[in-house]
Amino acid sequence: MANLQAHHFTDSAIAPSQHCFEIVPHDTDLLPAVTKGLYVGTGGDIAVRTLRSDVDVIFRNVPSGYILDIRLSAVRSTGTTAADMIGLA
């Protein structure tokens, strides 16, 4: 079986995620990578900044176990009640 390495494949916004990271909401810090999706472990509200926006929006009542297909640059602590979130990049 061939050794599959990430550098052999082209990445795009619609390609599957190649990297996952824990998200700790913060009011000023950006995420370590722009997401392709956001996994929500424990549901609630999520205050986010999308990649091409300069304002935050709040997704209300996101259920536990849900994946938002969204490109994010930040998840804010103010306005976020959801927890156990994973960034999919």
Side-chain angles (χ1 to χ4, degrees):
M1 181 180 218
N3 183 10
L4 300 177
Q5 296 181 2
H7 69 271
H8 289 246
F9 301 97
T10 301
D11 193 22
S12 74
I14 61 171
S17 300
Q18 296 183 21
H19 174 65
C20 300
F21 55 92
E22 180 181 359
I23 291 181
V24 177
H26 194 278
D27 281 337
T28 58
D29 288 351
L30 297 177
L31 296 174
V34 172
T35 66
K36 294 180 182 186
L38 173 70
Y39 171 79
V40 181
T42 303
D45 297 346
I46 307 170
V48 302
R49 174 77 50 101
T50 59
L51 178 61
R52 295 192 179 174
S53 180
D54 57 357
V55 296
D56 296 340
V57 297
I58 298 177
F59 286 85
R60 303 249 183 234
N61 301 311
V62 179
S64 297
Y66 195 78
I67 295 176
L68 287 169
D69 294 326
I70 190 166
R71 300 199 33 109
L72 300 176
S73 60
V75 176
R76 306 300 189 198
S77 56
T78 300
T80 295
T81 59
D84 307 314
M85 293 176 281
I86 303 293
L88 308 172

